[in-house]
Amino acid sequence: MTKSNQNLVKVDIFNVSRHQQTLTGTIAVAKMPELCKFLANEEGEFEVTIQGTKGAKGLPGAVLTIKGSVEVPCTHCNKPIPVEIDREVPFLFVKSEAEANRMPLDEDEDMEIVVGSDQMNVAEWVQEEVILSLPTFPKHDDCEMPEMEDDEEEIVEPTRPNPFANLKDLMKKN
């Protein structure tokens, strides 16, 4: 069963999994405030697909697919760098944090286990996955640090007085 929704907001992830629904839609970058802190601007949107699955271990599951692009600031020159996001992540859902903590960790497993909800916020879910997809230190391939102009003064750290400088004099007095 496929449903299309231009503005995915909240979904019942357990129902999506149980009925193996496919939900598609778009989410504006501007609707993801935590993500915007990492970006050069708030432009663009992501195409999102949620495909409900019968997950492993008898748990409800889904595959989240995110496609789009954003611009992040270069760590050297601070100019925008385009970053393509094309991420597909399988998930298993549990009903509580305690249940998630009881799940054994399997190093070979590609599925992420998260606490699901009947009102799961899709923008927050997508935001987290996009943040994980961003480069740690984005830099243009041919970028060099901007050179300082002659009229810019070099920043000099102030020197702090040594807190033990007077210790010798205090020891002589005793």
Side-chain angles (χ1 to χ4, degrees):
M1 172 185 237
T2 301
K3 289 185 178 179
S4 181
N5 182 350
Q6 287 303 96
N7 294 309
L8 293 172
V9 179
K10 295 190 184 225
V11 298
D12 180 343
I13 199 64
F14 298 112
N15 192 42
V16 169
S17 174
R18 182 175 31 260
H19 298 292
Q20 296 184 3
Q21 296 174 323
T22 301
L23 305 177
T24 60
T26 58
I27 299 177
V29 171
K31 298 278 184 191
M32 298 178 253
E34 293 301 314
L35 172 62
C36 290
K37 292 177 183 178
F38 295 93
L39 304 179
N41 57 56
E42 298 180 7
E43 297 171 9
E45 63 184 16
F46 294 104
E47 294 176 25
V48 177
T49 302
I50 303 168
Q51 172 63 56
T53 63
K54 297 223 185 258
K57 301 179 184 180
L59 295 172
V63 176
L64 175 66
T65 305
I66 307 165
K67 293 183 181 192
S69 64
V70 291
E71 292 184 332
V72 296
C74 175
T75 55
H76 284 240
C77 69
N78 212 31
K79 292 180 183 171
I81 301 173
V83 175
E84 290 295 318
I85 305 293
D86 189 355
R87 187 164 170 93
E88 181 176 286
V89 188
F91 288 89
L92 293 176
F93 299 99
V94 293
K95 294 193 182 250
S96 70
E97 200 64 47
E99 190 177 352
N101 291 336
R102 285 192 302 267
M103 297 298 294
L105 295 175
D106 188 355
E107 298 294 324
D108 299 333
E109 202 166 288
D110 291 338
M111 296 235 172
E112 292 188 40
I113 298 174
V114 297
V115 177
S117 166
D118 60 354
Q119 291 290 308
M120 192 158 177
N121 186 316
V122 177
E124 289 177 2
W125 187 20
V126 169
Q127 172 178 256
E128 186 174 311
E129 291 304 314
V130 172
I131 289 172
L132 292 171
S133 299
L134 296 177
T136 308
F137 297 103
K139 179 181 169 263
H140 293 104
D141 292 334
D142 58 350
C143 190
E144 293 183 19
M145 291 290 286
E147 292 190 25
M148 293 176 54
E149 295 180 19
D150 291 337
D151 60 342
E152 291 184 43
E153 292 183 27
E154 192 172 321
I155 298 174
V156 178
E157 291 290 321
T159 57
R160 294 186 198 170
N162 184 344
F164 302 106
N166 295 340
L167 187 59
K168 188 176 179 182
D169 294 334
L170 289 173
M171 299 225 8
K172 286 181 182 178
K173 289 182 183 177
N174 290 333

